[in-house]
Amino acid sequence: MLRKVVIRNYRLFRDFTLEFTPGMNILVGDNDTGKSTVIEAVNLVLTGRVQNRLLAQDLSPYLFNLDITHEYIQTLRDGQGPEPPDMIVDLYLEQSAATAHLKGRNNSTDEDTHGLRFRAAYNPDFALEYAAFIAEPDNIRVIPAEYYRCEWLGFDGNAVTARSVPVTASVIDAAAIRLQSGADYYLQGIIGNNLTPAERVELTRTYRSLREEFAGNPSITEINNKLKATPGDVSERELSLGIDISQRASWESSLVPHLDDLPFTFVGKGEQSSLKILLALNRRVDDAHVILVEEPENHLSFTRMNVLIAKILKKCENRQVLVTTHSSYVLNKLGLKQLVLLTETGGLRLSGLTPGTQDYFRKLAGYDTLRLILAQRAILVEGPSDELIVQRAYRDVHGVLPIHDGVDVISVGLSFRRFLELAVPLRRRTAVVTDNDGDDPADVAAGYADFTAHDFISVHVGAAGGGNTLEPQLLAANSRQALNEIFGTSYATDEDLVKYMTNNKTTCALAIFESETTITMPGYIRDAIA
Amino acid sequence: MPSPRQLAVIAAAGSRKTEFIITEALAHPYKRVLLTTYTLNNLACIRERIYRKARHIPAHITITSWYSFLSRHWCRPYQRTVLGTPGVLRGIDFQSDLPRFIPESDARRYFCNRAGDLYKDRVADFAVKADAAAGGAAVRRLEELYDEVYIDEVQDLAYYDLDVLDSLLHSGIHVVVVGDPRQHTYATNQNSRNRQYRGARIVGWLGQRTDVCTIEHRTVSYRCNQAICDFADALYPDLPTTTSANLEIVEPTGILRLSRADLQAHVVAFGPAVLRHNARTDTLGLPAINFGASKGSTFEHVVIFPTTPIRTYLRTRDPSGLAAEARSKLYVAVTRARHSAAFVI
């Protein structure tokens, strides 16, 4: 099982540490926060491969972190001699009999523990070439990866091979289905991994004898005899036909999985990706096997995704899974508690969510929790009319709609507390805009005291004199005449106007949102958007 | 008092000591076993004998040379305690001379060459230092990896190797060492540490550790006949004498002298293995094996081209006239034979 990954100078990550929990780990983040990079890095250190190619043979300078690349080049141009930067992925593993040989202190934290390290570092054998390379710093654009060598070691400092790595990983990236001859690379891997060693030996043996039988088949023998009798035009040696039984031609390259008698590659992409996920999940539980799933929502219809998520949940009880997702649905279903919000240097977890809140989001699986998680700042309101008014208020003050500034206005009904519970561990700047509903605003605010103790959370309640809800509050802040103008109405009393507004909440809010007239916003809304 | 956990078998040539550890290792399939020895010749010999007995090398057995054992399990895992940085060490440098004028405080250059290969003569030194600096972590790591460690030809270990052996003997791993102090033909390195214990003195070194290690003497040779045993025993009058269990009589038998004139006929008639001191020895054109390299082998008959000290010994029969190494090599050479050892005079 994986305990922790430390990534240095790889892609987006300059110095990144992420601890894993047993079971499900759901990686969430905006585009370009490195969700896929984490999966890629874990897979790299377990297989030596990136996108199915051995990195040691294919090290690209573009895999190096951009900041470190710029810094390195700048230092060179400043006339100094910086050490060419290393790229490191350290994967810390749980102690077990299978990982015992990987124990040592060759890791970034100097812990005496079990793990694997992939490192690309400058190779001093290229000293002459490198000297020529740095002689003209102005022409340098990238890190000279061609003078690097890759090492794949255990924390014991000894080289490892794909065979000696005790943890296997299935990467399931439904979006990228690559095909080789026969079964595709990781489908092969998944099938191979599903079999016990004894079954694998049996499969290999049967396949081998099948090929050998081919040569013994009477009709083939006859053909071969005929060929032997043919006088050699090119060579004096005997010519005969047989099947390649070299290592290259093992069962993996010839056997193709079939779904309902249809070769796997002819099955729809959605089916392929769910099958791959399920094959990976079906592995034996006792194995040190990690499943890396990239965006399971890809290629899947909503119903099929629902089925798949239910299966993932059921099958993953005793194993470690890393999932990246863009989908609030997937996130809510799999459980917010397992969420890891990626940052530049690590991950943020929603530890300490109450079971009630977890359950709430799981039931409201369609709810857009990711909006709160990914926003830089959130304003929580009760309903769509409040949302429109707040948007307008924000634009009046800041000149742009809130979403421009990464501020998300989210209507959450009466579930403010559920969302605030999410906001606390995220330390997300959050404002609540709420009615006083006839209560003393101070009392209403006091109800959120446990949240407002955090300086990043504020609660804004309609003032006492301004009415119970948004509509009278708006009227209190503006004249009846002004509002009548905006709505195209002509109510003679405040009472009638409020009644109209309350019965046509959204229409009125939309009219205000679109109106060219200057509108005075109630004080509590102005505070919230400040 | 509980009996010591560890076992040292001090045995005469042909007493089946390698056979003993192979049998033990194969008998414990539920233990994780490491088999190691100093010379690559002997390592190959062990490997081949396991194949012969078990048809493959079972997964629970790891066979590794002493150098590779040190480098893999002692030096690399805790290299940063000595070198300051991780991931420096690569292989072992068996070629270069030790660098001069580099103080031990410059550990990077004192222990390894530019590429990061450890100098062969400093591997054990490094191993001991890394383990000590890591607070015994290397030994604890090995305890998690192996239940039993078997060391063949223990008399080849010397200097810092003995400190490694000492740590192993005091660890939770069951350690069995076998060896013959009379067959000390190689020293693993050229340091001054533990100099007094090189070669034949390994028995004395083990003798100081009887609290953790039982010493067992095996004095029956299944290979050499009694005449050969007696000749070999006479070289080491301080050690227990050997009894032969080879009662077969195959002519020629015993210790012989052979004139150069009779050599050709002898070789044609009996097909003996020809043993020599080194490649510079004139063997009259016969293909031959060096004394040192013949260790571990068995032949029906051998022919030995004696060195000057050996010729002197044959005359005087005074072992004190033979230097330690020459005595070992003579012992090894003569005990290769089951039936006869002929000296070319």
Side-chain angles (χ1 to χ4, degrees), chain B residues 4-262:
Chain B
R5 283 177 309 114
Q6 319 294 29
L7 176 65
V9 178
I10 300 301
S15 62
R16 299 186 177 165
K17 49 190 184 302
T18 306
E19 187 70 16
F20 166 69
I21 58 172
I22 288 174
T23 309
E24 287 286 300
L26 286 172
H28 304 157
Y30 297 104
K31 304 276 186 186
R32 293 162 305 166
V33 174
L34 181 103
L35 274 173
T36 181
T37 188
Y38 172 67
T39 63
L40 293 178
N41 266 340
N42 194 41
L43 197 70
C45 196
I46 291 176
R47 195 172 280 132
E48 189 233 303
R49 284 162 79 161
I50 293 184
Y51 271 112
R52 218 162 47 201
K53 278 180 92 95
R55 301 178 63 210
H56 74 300
I57 303 208
H60 75 283
I61 297 179
T62 308
I63 303 173
T64 181
S65 77
W66 180 252
Y67 275 121
S68 155
F69 171 66
L70 291 181
S71 148
R72 198 173 176 85
H73 296 301
W74 295 75
C75 302
R76 289 198 196 126
Y78 300 100
Q79 53 185 283
R80 72 191 299 157
T81 60
V82 177
L83 298 173
T85 39
V88 173
L89 295 186
R90 302 191 185 278
I92 294 173
D93 183 342
F94 289 98
Q95 311 292 329
S96 311
D97 293 328
L98 288 177
R100 294 182 192 203
F101 313 120
I102 292 187
E104 218 182 310
S105 53
D106 184 357
R108 174 68 180 76
R109 295 203 297 150
Y110 180 80
F111 287 107
C112 6
N113 67 15
R114 273 196 54 175
D117 303 322
L118 282 166
Y119 295 115
K120 125 184 166 328
D121 286 349
R122 290 196 169 143
V123 176
D125 186 1
F126 190 102
V128 171
K129 287 205 168 53
D131 179 51
V139 175
R140 285 196 299 278
R141 180 178 173 279
L142 274 170
E143 287 172 340
E144 289 168 20
L145 274 175
Y146 296 107
D147 304 308
E148 301 178 351
V149 169
Y150 294 88
I151 303 173
D152 195 13
E153 308 287 9
V154 69
Q155 75 280 356
D156 288 340
L157 305 189
Y159 318 117
Y160 286 103
D161 296 325
L162 292 179
D163 295 332
V164 171
L165 178 57
D166 192 40
S167 299
L168 281 176
L169 289 175
H170 287 91
S171 74
I173 302 170
H174 177 50
V175 179
V176 176
V177 302
V178 302
D180 182 352
R182 291 158 286 214
Q183 299 190 50
H184 173 75
T185 53
Y186 289 92
T188 51
N189 56 54
Q190 307 298 325
N191 288 294
S192 53
R193 170 116 182 118
N194 288 329
R195 177 168 279 282
Q196 69 274 27
Y197 294 116
R198 56 181 305 188
R201 310 266 164 73
I202 184 78
V203 181
W205 186 88
L206 288 166
Q208 292 167 8
R209 284 157 182 81
T210 45
D211 53 330
V212 290
C213 184
T214 309
I215 301 179
E216 200 181 297
H217 286 275
R218 302 211 167 171
T219 54
V220 174
S221 175
Y222 295 88
R223 181 193 297 145
C224 315
N225 62 26
Q226 193 63 49
I228 296 173
C229 288
D230 292 345
F231 179 90
D233 283 347
L235 288 165
Y236 294 91
D238 297 342
L239 289 168
T241 55
T242 313
T243 316
S244 171
N246 171 15
L247 303 175
E248 226 180 316
I249 309 255
V250 174
E251 290 294 338
T253 184
I255 305 293
L256 312 169
R257 287 162 183 257
L258 202 58
S259 68
R260 291 184 170 241
D262 297 334

Side-chain angles (χ1 to χ4, degrees), chain A residues 95 100-107 110 112 114 117 119 124 149 151 155-159, chain B residues 32 71-73 76-81 86-87 89-90 114 133-134 137 140-141 144-145:
Chain A
Q95 174 178 356
H101 66 287
L102 299 174
K103 187 178 182 185
R105 280 167 57 176
N106 296 289
N107 55 55
D110 198 6
D112 185 8
H114 310 75
R117 151 170 286 209
R119 172 168 173 252
R149 73 173 155 217
E151 297 166 352
F155 286 176
D156 56 339
N158 293 303
Chain B
R32 293 162 305 166
S71 148
R72 198 173 176 85
H73 296 301
R76 289 198 196 126
Y78 300 100
Q79 53 185 283
R80 72 191 299 157
T81 60
L89 295 186
R90 302 191 185 278
R114 273 196 54 175
R140 285 196 299 278
R141 180 178 173 279
E144 289 168 20
L145 274 175

Side-chain angles (χ1 to χ4, degrees), chain A residues 440-473:
Chain A
D440 182 346
D443 286 350
V444 176
Y448 295 98
D450 45 340
F451 294 111
T452 46
H454 302 282
D455 57 5
F456 51 88
I457 292 178
S458 59
V459 172
H460 308 274
V461 190
N468 295 354
T469 59
L470 176 67
E471 288 74 21
Q473 291 280 351

Side-chain angles (χ1 to χ4, degrees), chain A residues 1-2 19-27 94 281 289-292 312-313 315-323 334 337-340 349:
Chain A
M1 203 166 55
L2 318 181
E19 311 244 351
F20 298 112
T21 51
M24 190 79 69
N25 292 263
I26 307 165
L27 308 182
E94 208 67 54
L281 294 178
H289 186 73
V290 182
I291 298 162
L292 313 171
I312 291 182
L313 265 180
K315 299 267 184 185
C316 289
E317 262 170 21
N318 289 313
R319 62 194 76 197
Q320 201 168 28
V321 186
L322 310 189
V323 188
L334 291 180
K337 209 167 185 172
Q338 274 81 297
L339 172 140
V340 183
R349 282 175 189 280

